[in-house]
Amino acid sequence: MNAVTPLVEQGGVRSAYVMPNLKPPITTTQQAVEYHAQLKSIAPNIEFFMTLYLSPSLTPEEIKKAKQSGVVYGVKSYPRGVTTNSEGGIESYTAYYHVFRAMEEEGLVLNLHGEIPSDPDNDICVLNAEERFLGHLKQLHNDFPKLKIVLEHATTKAAVDMVKSLGDTVGCSITVHHLDLVVDDWAGQPHNFCKPVAKFPHDRQALRDVILEGHPRFFLGSDSAPHPRQTKESSAAAAGVFTTPYLLQYLASILESFGALHRLSQFAMQNGRRFYGLPEKFAPLPMIKTELLIPTEIPYVDDEGKTQTIVPFKAGKSLKVSYC
């Protein structure tokens, strides 16, 4: 935390929606408030919007406390075992309907990691886990039409089509790396491996097309993961791509590659704040045409005092467009 948090501002970001899948996860308002204070002490110029981890201990009373805190804006759902630190994730949504009802009343957002666990007996794996999840999204929206729901880090055309088909209370985040990667880019390349995995070229095109279209319910979500190099280059690579230090630079370069640079402010700033009901802060993003060389690795000292390195997205490559 101490090493990575200062890099948020370096990447051109001024507002961060903070996910709760730490060890241990953030399950109470008090934990979220304390975590918020720690983050602000490290990066005082950043707005941090906190979330709680959906778990059996979460109650309607805790939802009310979260809303009153002024720093908690949502609850994140992780299906059990599908991504980093999701061992305590959920197995059934209906068991949490009383929590969702309280969230709907209080105006908190439900953030969904949109996959179901792999199941060989039912032909489910990382390549179709997101598409097989989408029925849950539709059902949740039907049952709680006033509850704001965000399908996080979508990777498929099916997800884009589903979100577009639903009402105005359903939004969708898209990461920088999923706008760039397809299956071939992470198969055998652990530093491009994340959950959900990047899919097929037609899926990537659907993500790009919805940005080009300027759809108001799709917005940037980094899902950046600072895994140490040795946990990525291992027999069981940790899931996550590290984009934090150059987030807007990556985004500008990738958007320009498919003719969408004019959508940068809308996608990165306007759509998300409007969906979450946040005050609008739409300062222009000045851009410069320049070459930016991404380092091959970033050294840091972890919270235990050990020297580690992280390999960033597009390590060793040059970007053609840079946020200034």
Side-chain angles (χ1 to χ4, degrees):
M1 178 176 67
N2 290 322
V4 174
T5 303
L7 300 179
V8 173
E9 188 170 5
Q10 176 185 315
V13 172
R14 299 297 180 269
S15 303
Y17 197 76
V18 182
M19 294 306 172
N21 55 328
L22 280 63
K23 284 189 174 181
I26 304 298
T27 58
T28 70
T29 302
Q30 183 60 38
Q31 288 175 314
V33 169
E34 292 172 358
Y35 188 26
H36 180 269
Q38 290 176 314
L39 293 172
K40 287 294 287 184
S41 70
I42 299 169
N45 295 328
I46 305 297
E47 292 180 290
F48 292 103
F49 304 101
M50 312 306 290
T51 59
L52 301 182
Y53 191 105
L54 185 61
S55 68
S57 64
L58 191 58
T59 65
E61 292 72 27
E62 191 66 34
I63 292 299
K64 292 178 182 178
K65 287 174 60 178
K67 179 64 175 181
Q68 293 168 0
S69 73
V71 300
V72 177
Y73 284 76
V75 174
K76 180 69 180 286
S77 162
Y78 297 89
R80 188 182 299 275
V82 298
T83 191
T84 303
N85 297 342
S86 64
E87 295 80 5
I90 71 164
E91 295 179 339
S92 168
Y93 284 106
T94 56
Y96 294 95
Y97 269 30
H98 62 301
V99 174
F100 300 155
R101 193 168 297 110
M103 291 173 61
E104 190 175 45
E105 293 171 356
E106 296 293 336
L108 292 189
V109 176
L110 176 60
N111 303 92
L112 299 174
H113 181 112
E115 294 184 287
I116 60 176
S118 294
D119 182 355
D121 292 337
N122 289 295
D123 198 34
I124 300 169
C125 67
V126 294
L127 290 177
N128 63 2
E130 179 176 282
E131 188 167 355
R132 297 286 286 270
F133 173 86
L134 296 175
H136 295 292
L137 171 62
K138 185 175 183 179
Q139 188 64 54
L140 285 168
H141 176 56
N142 288 341
D143 292 342
F144 300 94
K146 295 181 180 179
L147 174 64
K148 284 191 175 182
I149 302 174
V150 176
L151 179 65
E152 297 289 356
H153 40 61
T155 63
T156 60
K157 182 179 186 300
V160 170
D161 291 343
M162 176 62 77
V163 171
K164 291 173 74 173
S165 76
L166 300 178
D168 290 343
T169 54
V170 178
C172 181
S173 70
I174 299 174
T175 75
V176 165
H177 48 281
H178 286 129
L179 289 172
D180 189 65
L181 303 174
V182 294
V183 173
D184 290 352
D185 297 311
W186 60 261
Q189 168 48 278
H191 296 289
N192 288 338
F193 171 66
C194 60
K195 291 284 192 74
V197 299
K199 304 300 193 305
F200 299 99
H202 74 269
D203 294 306
R204 180 181 64 183
Q205 189 60 48
L207 301 178
R208 293 177 170 188
D209 286 346
V210 80
I211 295 173
L212 272 168
E213 175 189 333
H215 197 291
R217 290 188 284 115
F218 291 79
F219 38 84
L220 176 65
S222 75
D223 198 37
S224 182
H227 295 297
R229 183 171 199 145
Q230 70 270 18
T231 66
K232 295 290 287 180
E233 298 174 359
S234 69
S235 58
V241 174
F242 187 54
T243 56
T244 300
Y246 309 103
L247 185 67
L248 284 191
Q249 292 94 329
Y250 290 132
L251 180 61
S253 182
I254 293 168
L255 290 182
E256 189 191 45
S257 74
F258 62 92
L261 188 57
H262 63 292
R263 295 294 190 189
L264 177 65
S265 292
Q266 180 188 7
F267 176 66
M269 297 173 58
Q270 298 171 12
N271 289 354
R273 295 191 74 93
R274 286 171 177 164
F275 183 85
Y276 279 92
L278 299 171
E280 298 189 1
K281 296 181 179 180
F282 301 154
L285 295 175
M287 305 303 303
I288 57 172
K289 277 279 195 175
T290 187
E291 293 284 327
L292 174 66
L293 179 64
I294 304 298
T296 56
E297 61 181 13
I298 298 172
Y300 72 101
V301 177
D302 66 20
D303 293 345
E304 284 74 45
K306 297 179 181 178
T307 300
Q308 307 271 16
T309 60
I310 304 174
V311 177
F313 185 48
K314 293 184 175 291
K317 296 182 179 180
S318 292
L319 305 183
K320 295 182 179 179
V321 177
S322 177
Y323 165 75
C324 179

